[in-house]
Amino acid sequence: MDGVLAIFFAIFLAELGDKTQLATMAFAARYGWKVAFMGAILGLAAVNLIGALLGDKLGDMVPLEVVHKFAGALFIVFGILMIFGKL
């Protein structure tokens, strides 16, 4: 259960105020909160299922340190693209 709570809080804090939350607010204004909530749950669940499955397989093939470095580099690239309005 400790792992579930740690992941919950990490994802919760990472997602606060991001584009996904803003998009969900916009959808809620148009379709209502229940429809927006269900759509957001399904969309995030699908994306996170893909991430969990890939992460599970990567963990078997690639050292965790390499995964962390690649993820960090990817975040830097996304940040630079966002600064220049490309994302």
Side-chain angles (χ1 to χ4, degrees), residues 62-75:
V62 181
L64 189 57
E65 183 178 324
V66 173
V67 174
H68 284 166
K69 287 180 181 180
F70 178 75
L74 202 56
F75 274 107

Side-chain angles (χ1 to χ4, degrees), residues 10-27:
I11 298 298
F12 181 82
L13 292 174
E15 294 296 326
L16 271 179
D18 77 341
K19 290 187 277 186
T20 304
Q21 187 178 27
L22 298 175
T24 302
M25 283 189 229
F27 285 128

Side-chain angles (χ1 to χ4, degrees), residues 49-62:
L49 175 62
I50 293 167
L53 292 172
L54 288 175
D56 184 47
K57 295 299 176 198
L58 277 176
D60 295 339
M61 300 183 310
V62 181

Side-chain angles (χ1 to χ4, degrees), residues 18-19 29 34 40-41 45 61 68 78 81-82 87:
D18 77 341
K19 290 187 277 186
K34 291 177 186 176
I41 287 172
M61 300 183 310
H68 284 166
F78 284 149
L81 290 172
M82 289 177 78
L87 193 65

